[in-house]
């Protein structure tokens, strides 16, 4: 059974007191903890995304669409990839643990 995990994330300020869109500062992170993806609510098209793996095993963030994005993160390590340049919802999974699934929302 596949489960979708989503989480809230803090927003950054763009200097005028209004929140900047997630990913606007270029600091977007997906954290992997306890075999789950902690996803930002949305990311900007083309944003650089850091994958932070705090588990004791290797994981990947791999798009269901072949070749769209694929980042690996060693145990207690990081990786990165570039978000798609077009808005949309992009299902993803871990190649090492196929039951780990989530969706990257680009907007």
């Amino acid at each position: 059974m596949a489960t979708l995990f989503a989480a809230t994330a803090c927003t950054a300020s763009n200097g005028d007191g209004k929140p900047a869109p997630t990913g606007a500062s270029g600091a977007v992170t997906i954290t992997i903890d306890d075999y789950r993806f902690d996803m930002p609510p949305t990311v900007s098209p083309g944003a650089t995304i850091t994958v932070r793996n705090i588990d004791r095993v290797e994981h990947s963030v791999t798009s269901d669409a072949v070749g769209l994005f694929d980042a690996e993160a060693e145990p207690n390590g990081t990786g990165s990839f570039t978000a798609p340049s077009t808005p949309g919802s992009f299902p993803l999974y871990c190649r090492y643990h196929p039951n780990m699934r989530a969706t990257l929302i680009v907007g």
Side-chain angles (χ1 to χ4, degrees), residues 1-103:
M1 177 166 84
T3 304
L4 175 64
F5 293 95
T8 60
C10 296
T11 56
S13 172
N14 59 12
D16 64 2
K18 297 179 184 174
T22 303
S25 67
V28 178
T29 302
I30 294 172
T31 301
I32 301 171
D33 182 19
D34 196 25
Y35 294 85
R36 290 181 279 190
F37 294 106
D38 183 6
M39 304 293 293
T42 186
V43 301
S44 298
T48 298
I49 300 172
T50 298
V51 178
R52 182 174 165 246
N53 178 9
I54 58 177
D55 279 345
R56 294 182 184 184
V57 298
E58 186 170 6
H59 290 294
S60 77
V61 175
T62 305
S63 171
D64 280 1
V66 177
L68 189 58
F69 55 83
D70 185 20
E72 292 191 19
E74 296 288 330
N76 296 306
T78 61
S80 67
F81 67 97
T82 302
S85 59
T86 57
S89 295
F90 301 91
L92 58 90
Y93 67 102
C94 172
R95 282 185 281 110
Y96 304 102
H97 310 97
N99 289 338
M100 290 177 58
R101 301 200 55 86
T103 300

